[in-house]
């Protein structure tokens, strides 16, 4: 099955600086890579996703890059703000597969702390 | 805001009891999921369910059983609760049927419910 590794587990950056979170995946059949943000006591919420036919996607201060050959993808947050503080999860999935539990395989999360 | 709801929000119970968590989505989605988030925040898929087709993660004990009375609901029943079952359980839904191709990227998105914090004493 798929295995997703995520680094770092904790990331502390100064407000206004950029933050980068990296993930690697093991199953070359995975073709969908979402990123979720989870604030304390809240549900995970999708912030951006990318499919394997795209190398990069951007939405305002958030961008995701994908390297299929190396099987890794990254989340980039620029001009960080206090409200960006949360746990961020990467995930991977094969959209064309009906096997397994067909859910998302998540990384273990990154606790992003924005220092004022 | 997303329209995936769960009840109860908190559930405290004794070992050995049987309990249920309810999930409802009014998004018209055709696939629903259950995830478990442990004390270390690790999120893991337990089940996905679409049109009476249940896909089970092989690591889930058979004490856990999802029940879907209709397309908008996927309830989670847990028998003989154990200490290790303590976690936050999230229901989720998406518009995509497992194993199919859908050109509308937005339908791949899984929307999560608010979670149910289960504590087994």
């Amino acid at each position: 099955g798929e295995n997703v590794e995520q680094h770092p587990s904790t990331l502390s950056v100064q407000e206004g600086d950029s933050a980068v979170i990296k993930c690697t995946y093991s199953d070359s059949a995975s073709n969908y890579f979402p990123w979720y943000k989870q604030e304390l006591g809240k549900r995970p919420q999708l912030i951006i996703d990318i499919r394997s036919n795209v190398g990069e996607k951007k939405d305002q201060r958030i961008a995701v890059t994908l390297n299929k050959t190396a099987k890794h993808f990254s989340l980039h947050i620029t001009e960080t703000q206090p409200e960006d503080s949360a746990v961020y999860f990467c995930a991977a999935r094969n959209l064309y597969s009906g096997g397994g539990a067909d859910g998302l395989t998540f990384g273990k999360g990154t606790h992003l702390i924005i220092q004022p | 805001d997303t329209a995936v709801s769960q009840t109860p929000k908190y559930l405290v119970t004794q070992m050995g009891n049987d309990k249920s968590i309810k999930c409802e989505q009014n998004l018209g989605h055709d696939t629903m999921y259950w995830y478990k988030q442990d004390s270390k925040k690790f999120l893991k898929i337990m089940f996905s369910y679409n049109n009476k087709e249940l896909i089970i993660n092989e690591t889930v004990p058979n004490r856990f059983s999802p029940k879907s009375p209709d397309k908008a609901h996927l309830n989670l029943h847990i028998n003989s609760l154990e200490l290790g079952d303590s976690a936050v359980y999230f229901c989720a839904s998406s518009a995509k049927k497992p194993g199919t191709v859908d050109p509308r990227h937005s339908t791949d998105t899984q929307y999560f419910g608010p979670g149910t914090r289960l504590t087994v004493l």
Side-chain angles (χ1 to χ4, degrees), chain A residues 30-104:
Chain A
S30 288
N31 48 34
Y32 175 65
F33 307 94
W35 286 87
Y36 281 81
K37 176 183 179 182
Q38 186 178 29
E39 297 176 351
L40 188 62
K42 301 289 182 63
R43 73 189 79 192
Q45 292 197 296
L46 180 77
I47 54 172
I48 196 167
D49 59 10
I50 192 169
R51 279 193 171 199
S52 58
N53 59 350
V54 175
E56 184 173 357
K57 185 176 178 180
K58 190 173 181 181
D59 182 5
Q60 299 183 332
R61 295 187 297 110
I62 293 172
V64 57
T65 58
L66 171 66
N67 183 327
K68 281 194 299 181
T69 303
K71 288 192 279 191
H72 67 69
F73 55 114
S74 300
L75 177 72
H76 304 253
I77 306 174
T78 58
E79 301 172 15
T80 53
Q81 300 168 4
E83 53 265 36
D84 294 331
S85 294
V87 179
Y88 290 80
F89 293 94
C90 62
R93 176 181 176 182
N94 179 357
L95 293 174
Y96 308 145
S97 169
D102 199 56
L104 295 167

Side-chain angles (χ1 to χ4, degrees), chain B residues 29-99:
Chain B
H29 287 171
D30 46 29
T31 306
M32 296 183 73
Y33 311 81
W34 277 104
Y35 288 85
K36 178 181 180 181
Q37 186 170 43
D38 63 22
S39 58
K40 296 183 178 179
K41 301 291 188 185
F42 186 39
L43 270 164
K44 193 167 184 180
I45 182 71
M46 301 177 70
F47 305 99
S48 68
Y49 188 88
N50 173 277
N51 193 28
K52 301 183 181 179
E53 178 189 7
L54 176 66
I55 302 173
I56 303 170
N57 185 315
E58 62 271 12
T59 65
V60 175
N62 57 16
R63 299 181 294 103
F64 290 78
S65 57
K67 298 279 194 305
S68 180
D70 55 59
K71 188 177 166 181
H73 296 83
L74 185 65
N75 304 324
L76 183 64
H77 297 272
I78 316 170
N79 295 327
S80 304
L81 278 156
E82 300 178 358
L83 293 175
D85 297 333
S86 295
V88 179
Y89 292 84
F90 286 99
C91 175
S93 71
S94 70
K96 183 183 181 303
K97 178 181 176 180

